[in-house]
Amino acid sequence: MRAVRQTEGPVLILAGAGTGKTRTITARIAYLIANGADPATILAVTFTNKAAGEMRERVADMVNSAEAALVTVSTFHSLCVRILRQDIEKLGYKRNFTIYDQSDAISLVRQLITRVAAKDEKLEPNAAQNLISRAKNLGVDAPTDENAEQTLAGAVFARYQRELRRLNAVDFDDLLLLAVKVLREHEDVRTKWAARFRYLMVDEFQDTNGLQLELIRRLATGDRPNVCVVGDDDQSIYGWRGAEVRNILEFERHFPEPTVIALEQNYRSTDHILGLANSLIRHNPRRRAKQLWSGRGAGEKIRLVAAPDDREEAIYVVGDLHRLKLETGISWEDFAVLFRTNAQSRLIEEAMRERGIPYRVVGGQSFFDRREVKDVIAYLRLLLNPADDVSLLRIINAPPRGIGETTVARALEFSIKRQTNLHAALSDAEFAAALSAKTRGAIGEFVALLDRFEARMFAPLADRAEVARAFLDESGFIADLRRSCRTPEEADRREESVFDLLQDLGRHSGAAGEKGLRDFIDRLSLESDREEETPESGHGVTLITLHAAKGLEFPHVYVLGLEEGLLPHERSRADGTIDEERRLLYVAITRAKQRLTLTHCSTRFRYGQALPRQASSFLRELDVAHLEFVDFAKELAKPATEQAAKSSFARMREILGN
DNA sequence: CCCGCTGTGATTTTT
DNA sequence: TCACAGCGGG
């Protein structure tokens, strides 16, 4: 297979849906090693920790474990952390910088808005953080024009970047931005890292943004660097968060005269499913031509169902999969219900519960909770970087220790005036002088606590997990955590998740002293603490958004709401991203292995109102040869009048325009 | 500290 | 419609 053996020079592997993308990359790595490449010079970059983990596992299966361990398989962000932990000083940051995740960033933005905004000005922290993030992913690290400082958002942006620097902190976007910056501006640094990696591989290349492309370009050495990217332009669905399909469409511009290999054999779906997918995606302009085929046989036609409203749609889908399950005995895990927006899952959930069918909702945003875990991280971060005000503010009153809001506000003011951080302000004699004896005592105790544990944590031969446990205990955090719970069970659960974390810290076989703890915290900061929720692990039918479904596959798939305004989403018309919506449907269709059902409604309830709906314009693009029109009324096994059946059939024909 | 009132806004989501 | 944030009162 050429995709595996062409190891020299730039290679572009166009890997269509279900063509064995990950398998190809891992086989390449194994092939490289078998042919004498030094494993330590191989770098494979992915987007998610999950993908990196899977790849690492598969490499370990193919080559001996000592060699596998030398290969660098990493996400873009953790690769950047690695670069920055070594070389960020060139940019004027200290090496012990703290990494802020999105919620840390939002809380900093919130603070700044209250500090900067006039009485009548309003700005949502969430929206502002989003704006800043978008800008940074375009490579912009400050508001562009002079006016920008005058708008609230611009002022917050400028202030935010300055604050991060003062706090010796970087956010997720900075990781990319600063890593690229240091490689761009310091040739010695660039040469060092480029020399390390002789073979570069990038997964899901269609999802890269400008910064990520630049990172790869700067790491790639020589006229014909060994850069192999794998991706599928037809599955580019993250444009809205900065991904540039252009990167894959114009690969030759960045890496001239590449070997281009198209993987077109699909190992997943039936011919009808692939045929349908092909007929749809053909309507996209500007794509790398490819035609997927499979040897899996024709299979069933794709069923297109028109439901009267979203409630009936849900009842139908759930009823249909229930029936199928009873008839064939396949397991619940083989089913997935896909939808454009999270809100759509509700009706499905209700219908599932009514029938007692087990299900799991993937995604959503349940990862902002786990308050106690974030608190523990804040405690530990503070030991590594006392200048980290966001962490300090998070824990200064957990537990309440007599340092009230007023005192904190004063300390903040003092720290701003002195151009320093909160920790320094709290330790400052002049600041203390202005306080009551009681407050002074409370602050003194708090600062002493931090200093004492900083010394203990980084003492030679310190047992990090044990020191951390004592820290959380003696600070009163654990007791406060338990106290704040409503039930003893909840208290146990939360305390246990803290101890799990500490146990993990104990097991973490890192270096002694600061580095070991920092590696551990870096890992925690970069991995969202959402539980492992792979479709295999849970029980039940998978309910999932179209976006989150990318990369997964299921024997039986239902795609809901193929209606104008929902898929394509109404926003996409104004944004000019209809192509991306089409790719989204393409991704959805290609998730199915055996049986696929598409549905749409004539009426949908939104914000309490019944809205008339039109079928998605995408339906007209589908090749009818692969479709079967399901008579909704009949399928529901309700006594339907012939008239109703006829009219619904006529409507469907009308919709499809043939 | 907690409860209930009011106002608001409502794609997609990983690191 | 409904969920959630922010606020004021008990």
Side-chain angles (χ1 to χ4, degrees):
Chain A
M1 210 169 154
R2 199 138 146 271
V4 172
R5 297 216 175 104
Q6 182 66 47
T7 60
E8 305 302 306
V11 178
L12 167 61
I13 300 177
L14 294 165
T19 54
K21 181 169 54 82
T22 314
R23 199 170 34 116
T24 307
I25 301 184
T26 47
R28 257 181 92 86
I29 294 173
Y31 181 83
L32 276 167
I33 295 174
N35 284 274
D38 175 358
T41 64
I42 300 172
L43 169 68
V45 192
T46 64
F47 276 85
T48 65
N49 291 302
K50 189 174 160 225
E54 274 167 19
M55 200 174 289
R56 237 175 260 129
E57 232 168 77
R58 287 168 83 157
V59 170
D61 287 343
M62 295 176 83
V63 305
N64 81 55
S65 56
E67 284 177 323
L70 294 172
V71 178
T72 305
V73 181
S74 157
T75 64
F76 274 103
H77 292 266
S78 43
L79 174 65
C80 291
V81 171
R82 231 160 118 175
I83 294 171
L84 293 175
R85 284 280 177 225
Q86 272 190 37
D87 296 308
I88 200 170
E89 279 169 354
K90 303 247 177 186
L91 300 177
Y93 286 78
K94 292 194 285 178
R95 282 171 61 168
N96 65 340
F97 62 85
T98 300
I99 301 166
Y100 282 179
D101 71 12
Q102 197 179 358
S103 60
D104 299 321
I106 289 172
S107 78
L108 180 56
V109 166
R110 184 179 294 124
Q111 268 179 56
L112 293 176
I113 289 173
T114 53
R115 223 182 286 169
V116 172
K119 280 259 167 1
D120 56 337
E121 287 179 308
K122 270 206 185 108
L123 185 62
E124 242 189 288
N126 245 313
Q129 195 274 332
N130 222 327
L131 223 64
I132 294 172
S133 177
R134 292 286 294 265
K136 284 164 96 165
N137 274 298
L138 290 170
V140 180
D141 63 356
T144 33
D145 44 278
E146 299 78 14
N147 287 349
E149 277 273 12
Q150 275 149 36
T151 69
L152 180 54
V156 170
F157 187 5
R159 195 61 186 274
Y160 173 77
Q161 280 310 90
R162 252 182 290 149
E163 281 294 288
L164 281 178
R165 207 172 250 261
R166 188 174 66 79
L167 303 174
N168 191 27
V170 304
D171 65 16
F172 281 158
D173 305 313
D174 282 335
L175 291 175
L176 281 169
L177 199 63
L178 296 176
V180 166
K181 194 170 180 203
V182 76
L183 294 176
R184 190 194 293 151
E185 293 174 2
H186 298 274
E187 184 55 24
D188 54 327
V189 175
R190 196 199 69 78
T191 319
K192 179 180 76 181
W193 287 99
R196 248 222 70 193
F197 301 118
R198 302 264 356 248
Y199 296 95
L200 282 66
M201 268 162 262
V202 185
D203 192 18
E204 304 279 18
F205 193 69
Q206 77 282 352
D207 290 337
T208 52
N209 63 29
L211 284 175
Q212 287 156 336
L213 173 66
E214 187 177 345
L215 180 76
I216 296 301
R217 289 186 62 166
R218 297 205 180 265
L219 287 178
T221 30
D223 285 346
R224 292 191 54 71
N226 305 323
V227 172
C228 170
V229 309
V230 185
D232 181 4
D233 47 315
D234 290 335
Q235 293 186 71
S236 163
I237 57 174
Y238 285 110
W240 52 275
R241 63 178 199 212
E244 304 260 15
V245 215
R246 274 186 320 185
N247 291 168
I248 196 165
L249 293 176
E250 300 169 13
F251 183 73
E252 291 85 347
R253 267 188 47 210
H254 310 293
F255 299 99
E257 294 171 51
T259 308
V260 180
I261 299 159
L263 305 180
E264 294 177 310
Q265 182 177 3
N266 173 293
Y267 300 95
R268 180 185 294 155
S269 313
T270 64
D271 289 342
H272 275 311
I273 291 169
L274 281 184
L276 191 79
N278 283 333
S279 71
L280 173 74
I281 202 65
R282 215 179 38 224
H283 290 82
N284 260 9
R286 290 184 306 279
R287 53 185 288 264
R288 298 235 176 212
K290 65 187 93 63
Q291 191 80 15
L292 292 191
W293 58 278
S294 96
R296 314 230 113 192
E300 285 177 51
K301 284 193 178 181
I302 284 67
R303 291 129 23 82
L304 181 62
V305 181
D309 62 39
D310 46 352
R311 176 123 217 165
E312 300 278 1
E313 177 188 50
I315 291 169
Y316 171 80
V317 165
V318 173
D320 187 69
L321 73 85
H322 196 186
R323 181 184 53 77
L324 205 65
K325 155 83 181 167
L326 295 177
E327 278 172 19
T328 61
I330 40 186
S331 71
W332 294 122
E333 286 72 32
D334 289 341
F335 294 95
V337 181
L338 276 56
F339 35 78
R340 177 66 229 262
T341 66
N342 286 120
Q344 286 173 265
S345 76
R346 221 176 90 186
L347 287 174
I348 295 287
E349 288 185 64
E350 278 171 24
M352 292 277 195
R353 270 198 296 266
E354 233 160 78
R355 284 185 182 252
I357 297 174
Y359 65 89
R360 41 191 295 280
V361 187
V362 178
Q365 345 171 267
S366 53
F367 52 94
F368 276 114
D369 35 335
R370 309 285 302 265
R371 182 177 60 82
E372 66 278 11
V373 171
K374 295 220 66 181
D375 286 343
V376 172
I377 294 176
Y379 266 97
L380 298 177
R381 274 177 173 176
L382 214 46
L383 297 186
L384 289 163
N385 175 19
D388 177 1
D389 286 4
V390 170
S391 294
L392 193 141
L393 286 171
R394 196 182 167 94
I395 57 128
I396 194 161
N397 270 310
R401 39 172 73 86
I403 308 175
E405 241 173 89
T406 331
T407 314
V408 172
R410 271 199 208 157
L412 214 49
E413 204 180 311
F414 186 90
S415 73
I416 292 163
K417 209 164 57 203
R418 286 294 179 86
Q419 296 276 356
T420 175
N421 53 66
L422 271 174
H423 181 265
L426 293 176
S427 325
D428 193 290
E430 193 188 320
F431 175 67
L435 302 167
S436 72
K438 205 171 137 207
T439 312
R440 207 180 310 141
I443 289 176
E445 241 173 79
F446 179 57
V447 172
L449 177 89
L450 293 179
D451 292 348
R452 189 165 78 244
F453 276 96
E454 190 186 329
R456 274 178 71 177
M457 181 62 84
F458 304 130
L461 302 177
D463 177 342
R464 283 192 297 259
E466 174 51 29
V467 176
R469 199 202 50 74
F471 186 31
L472 295 174
D473 205 22
E474 288 176 37
S475 64
F477 173 78
I478 298 282
D480 181 58
L481 178 69
R482 295 198 64 98
R483 204 177 328 121
S484 68
C485 293
R486 286 165 168 271
T487 62
E489 293 78 39
E490 191 193 347
D492 287 345
R493 212 190 53 237
R494 286 183 185 259
E495 188 179 350
E496 201 180 317
S497 66
V498 170
F499 285 146
D500 280 352
L501 196 73
L502 294 182
Q503 205 173 38
D504 209 18
L505 170 62
R507 263 199 308 266
H508 187 73
S509 56
E514 289 197 33
K515 187 172 183 310
L517 183 63
R518 186 171 303 126
D519 287 349
F520 180 72
I521 296 293
D522 281 354
R523 212 188 72 208
L524 283 181
S525 306
L526 292 176
E527 283 173 25
S528 58
D529 48 318
R530 61 178 10 172
E531 333 240 300
E532 267 316 296
E533 46 187 2
T534 56
E536 300 82 40
S537 69
H539 284 299
V541 177
T542 300
L543 274 47
I544 193 170
T545 63
L546 301 178
H547 283 90
K550 196 179 82 166
L552 305 178
E553 59 176 36
F554 304 89
H556 303 277
V557 170
Y558 298 83
V559 184
L560 309 186
L562 277 99
E563 292 148 34
E564 206 58 22
L566 195 54
L567 186 62
H569 197 276
E570 53 203 344
R571 282 276 260 275
S572 66
R573 203 165 332 145
D575 296 353
T577 54
I578 298 273
D579 294 355
E580 184 156 309
E581 296 286 307
R582 191 178 281 108
R583 290 193 291 262
L584 202 46
L585 179 56
Y586 174 79
V587 167
I589 291 172
T590 52
R591 296 312 93 198
K593 295 167 86 167
Q594 290 174 33
R595 187 166 179 273
L596 174 64
T597 304
L598 310 175
T599 70
H600 62 100
C601 308
S602 328
T603 303
R604 183 171 291 274
F605 285 84
R606 212 180 20 153
Y607 314 144
Q609 274 175 327
L611 294 174
R613 311 247 75 197
Q614 272 195 317
S616 168
S617 50
F618 293 153
L619 289 182
R620 260 177 274 131
E621 302 172 354
L622 300 174
D623 182 350
V624 284
H626 305 295
L627 289 175
E628 180 192 338
F629 302 95
V630 175
D631 188 322
F632 183 82
K634 229 188 237 164
E635 282 286 312
L636 265 186
K638 275 184 191 162
T641 65
E642 203 176 313
Q643 173 100 45
K646 214 184 262 171
S647 75
S648 89
F649 201 75
R651 200 172 54 229
M652 273 186 267
R653 295 220 157 264
E654 206 176 290
I655 285 156
L656 292 158
N658 48 28

